Amino acid sequence: MTQALRLGIAGLGTVGVGVVKIIRRHADLLQARTDRSVEIVAVSARDANKDRGVNLSDYAWETDPVALAKRDDIDVFVELIGGENGPAKASVEAALATGKDVVTANKALLAIHGQDLAEKAEAAGRVIRFEAAVAGGIPVIKSLTEGLAGNEITRVMGVMNGTCNYILTRMQSQELGYNALFEECAQLGYLEADPNLDVGGIDAAHKLALLSSIAFGTKPNFDGIQIEGIQQITLEDIHQAADMGYRIKLLGVAQRSARGLEQRMQPCLVPSSSPLGQLEGGTNMVVIEGDAVEQVVLRGPGAGEGPTASAVMGDVCDLARGLQIPTFGRPATSLQDAKPAVTGLPAPYYLRLALFDKPGALAKVAAILGDAGVSIDRMRQYGHTESTAPVLIVTHKTTRATLDVALNGLRETDVVADEPVALRIEEV
């Protein structure tokens, strides 16, 4: 019989406990599918005495995850600590240096240090697998590196933060404002310790950096992503988007053109009838477009004990089968530096303006937009407040650079009362 695949698991939070449960519950199934038993040898976490609802007495305990990573009696180091530096990075480096394969759910670590770690893994003849780092239980990494390997990928986009999608869909269905739903998410435990990682778009941008690298053969370039959160979205925006047949999503988009590689994580309008437009609650969705397959839509739970642990175990099973794939789908030394797009591809934009209720205000707005080269497709004016008149404008296709010229002009005029809101309308 083939020797057992021996795991060391660092991090016994929600996901780590989920992995332990799967291995204990499905030992026979895992062996049947891989022709090899999968065993936990040792674990590591900060508090050895905490009740985690699962029996850990069968496993050796290491207080230091680096010591766990260096153990001679493990084959695979499973890093579920989190964080781009600190013990997570040190322990992964130690595992690779001592000849271990690595399975991780740590998107921040790979988005920032992925190139260096991938090169270390390949130099040591080892692999790093990270299905659980992107979109929870959705097998998007496997789809890009394996199932769609025969395609030239043209665009990857998706909703990759369940908390943001929960907030935006609840704003529409429950008529609640952003602040109220932010507090609700905090009480439900949906937010990261630093909430800006979620609502500021950073968590989802980490994931986009990884997908973009695999899709386009570039080094992970988190710093090259344009990031904008959902904090400025109001109920007014939700209602007006719905009036026009759109819904607002925190959407990540990566696409390459003659302009360079465009990577964006920002609120966008998408058609209500599209798969992305119909996505509700905390569910994630990734859309992949390739020259042969055209469009593939992957939908599923983006977080949680079961879904994320399921993704970890998918990677563990591949290693048990002996499957060796470079970290980002091709040798790390062949990955190219991403050439950021100077300007993004043109698209229509949604603009929300609060105008002072004075004669000629709309004419001034139209003139400023026209002078900048921004053409108006549709314009609506809503009920007045005491001193301002909300105005909604949908433009024809334009670049963000051109729009920014117009927005600067609007800010300098005496008819715009508040900061203009501009959201891209994504064609899906």
Side-chain angles (χ1 to χ4, degrees), residues 1 3 36 38 62 121 145 153 180 186 201 206 228 232 236 272 315 324 341 351 356 381 403 417 426:
M1 181 180 293
Q3 182 182 2
R36 189 176 182 183
V38 177
E62 295 282 0
T145 56
I153 304 301
H206 286 143
E228 183 181 344
Q232 85 280 20
E236 183 180 12
S272 298
D315 284 341
Q324 298 276 320
L351 303 181
F356 288 116
Q381 185 169 349
L403 184 66
E426 195 69 38

Side-chain angles (χ1 to χ4, degrees), residues 2-72:
T2 305
Q3 182 182 2
L5 185 72
R6 304 166 300 175
L7 309 184
I9 301 176
L12 292 170
T14 300
V15 179
V17 168
V19 171
V20 173
K21 288 179 179 177
I22 289 176
I23 292 173
R24 296 180 75 92
R25 184 171 68 242
H26 293 315
D28 292 342
L29 180 62
L30 294 171
Q31 181 162 350
R33 287 177 170 167
T34 66
D35 197 28
R36 189 176 182 183
S37 64
V38 177
E39 300 175 358
I40 301 171
V41 171
V43 296
S44 176
R46 283 179 291 188
D47 184 358
N49 299 314
K50 181 179 179 180
D51 182 7
R52 294 175 170 85
V54 64
N55 183 15
L56 301 171
S57 62
D58 295 338
Y59 317 131
W61 189 278
E62 295 282 0
T63 303
D64 180 4
V66 173
L68 173 63
K70 292 179 178 179
R71 287 180 67 111
D72 293 333

Side-chain angles (χ1 to χ4, degrees), residues 65-95:
V66 173
L68 173 63
K70 292 179 178 179
R71 287 180 67 111
D72 293 333
D73 56 354
I74 69 169
D75 306 305
V76 178
F77 179 66
V78 182
E79 185 275 304
L80 303 173
I81 304 168
E84 66 185 71
N85 290 302
K89 181 172 181 284
S91 58
V92 167
E93 289 175 335

Side-chain angles (χ1 to χ4, degrees), residues 158-296:
V159 170
M160 291 174 274
N161 184 278
T163 300
C164 288
N165 202 54
Y166 177 87
I167 290 174
L168 293 172
T169 54
R170 290 269 291 171
M171 286 177 75
Q172 182 161 1
S173 64
Q174 301 299 313
E175 292 288 318
L176 295 172
Y178 169 83
N179 290 334
L181 285 165
F182 180 90
E183 291 301 321
E184 179 179 311
C185 286
Q187 292 172 9
L188 292 172
Y190 288 177
L191 293 169
E192 297 274 2
D194 177 2
N196 192 52
L197 291 174
D198 285 314
V199 298
I202 297 169
D203 167 82
H206 286 143
K207 300 170 187 177
L208 183 66
L210 304 181
L211 295 183
S212 183
S213 177
I214 299 170
F216 303 113
T218 56
K219 298 175 183 178
N221 183 25
F222 174 73
D223 291 337
I225 300 175
Q226 301 173 43
I227 304 174
E228 183 181 344
I230 66 169
Q231 299 96 322
Q232 85 280 20
I233 303 299
T234 67
L235 269 176
E236 183 180 12
D237 295 318
I238 298 289
H239 292 155
Q240 292 173 354
D243 285 346
M244 297 184 297
Y246 294 103
R247 297 188 76 178
I248 299 176
K249 301 291 180 184
L250 180 66
L251 190 64
V253 179
Q255 57 190 350
R256 188 162 58 183
S257 68
R259 300 167 183 258
L261 179 61
E262 185 177 352
Q263 299 181 98
R264 295 178 282 104
M265 181 60 65
Q266 58 189 188
C268 293
L269 275 66
V270 298
S272 298
S273 59
S274 68
L276 284 166
Q278 295 176 39
L279 191 68
E280 298 288 336
T283 308
N284 282 197
M285 180 176 287
V286 180
V287 180
I288 305 170
E289 296 174 354
D291 63 340
V293 77
E294 296 184 356
Q295 188 179 88
V296 172

